[in-house]
Amino acid sequence: MKKKAFVNQKLCVACGCCLKACKLGAVSIPTGVYAVIDALKCVGCGMCEKNCPAGIITISKVNQEPVEQKNLTKGMVDTDE
Amino acid sequence: MSKKKWYDYLWLFSCTYLILGFFNILFAWLGLICFVTPLAISLINGNKAYCNKYCGRGQLFSLLGGRFGLSRKKDMPMWMKTPYFRYGFLLFFLTMFGIMIWNTYLVFAGAESLRQVVTLLWTFKVPWQWAYRGTLFSAGVAQFAFGFYSVMLTSTILGLVTMILFKPRSWCVYCPMGTMTQMICRIKAGRNN
């Protein structure tokens, strides 16, 4: 089972602490309103969760592959621990 | 990726700013940069690049709370994260800012004389005459400097307190500039959709 970061976008202040904490560049704040996690890059390490001053990022287990790019995931290698 | 960029050292600017205010209050005017830049970036580019990259105060808090370990690193209470508190604090902050501008105006207009004090937490008036040796301009210029430095020092103190109690950058959650720029970005993003 994979782990991913999830942002509570209603409470996110878009400060960018998660952006700085993420070593994989999986976080972006495109419109300056809330942080967006790229589920394909996120490995669920929890660095963003740890650094979020509002504590509104959670790491949760996900069953399926990210839904955004379904077509790409078919040929992807499963890197599950 | 983890390579330091020039803007990763802007916490030095924040430190210098606070120190300069102890020597000559007129340096307080430099603080306007920290007000105008984030607003300009959010208005022009529609993002929070100031918070995300350039905010020296945020860097200072994450340095003191992180590397220097001056933070409990505990989650802040839920009510502090709600939009009610954040926008309420913004409103309070802007009201106090307005009163400060009004007091400055009164000195410019000659209705009041210059008060060489720095008001901390909107309450405590601290004598600050050592940092004032006159101004080439109107006394109002100095009055604004005293008022603006009060705003900057007060918000730094609040930020330090919440840094110690909660996570290093918990100031960012209720920072009036951050709330304002997010509001601008929200309006801009809504318009583009």
Side-chain angles (χ1 to χ4, degrees), chain A residues 12-15 31 33 52 54, chain B residues 46 48 52 81 86 167 182 185:
Chain A
C12 181
V13 297
C15 62
T31 57
V33 185
C52 176
Chain B
K48 295 231 304 176
N52 302 166
K81 307 175 191 174
R86 293 181 57 219
K167 300 244 179 122
Q182 190 189 28
C185 288

Side-chain angles (χ1 to χ4, degrees), chain B residues 114-126:
Chain B
L114 174 66
R115 299 175 74 185
Q116 298 175 35
V117 290
V118 164
T119 312
L120 293 181
L121 303 168
W122 307 282
T123 315
F124 309 105
K125 297 200 181 334
V126 184

Side-chain angles (χ1 to χ4, degrees), chain A residues 5-26:
Chain A
F6 291 92
V7 178
N8 182 338
Q9 295 179 339
K10 274 195 180 134
L11 293 178
C12 181
V13 297
C15 62
C17 293
C18 50
L19 197 81
K20 279 186 184 167
C22 184
K23 300 266 189 290
L24 297 168

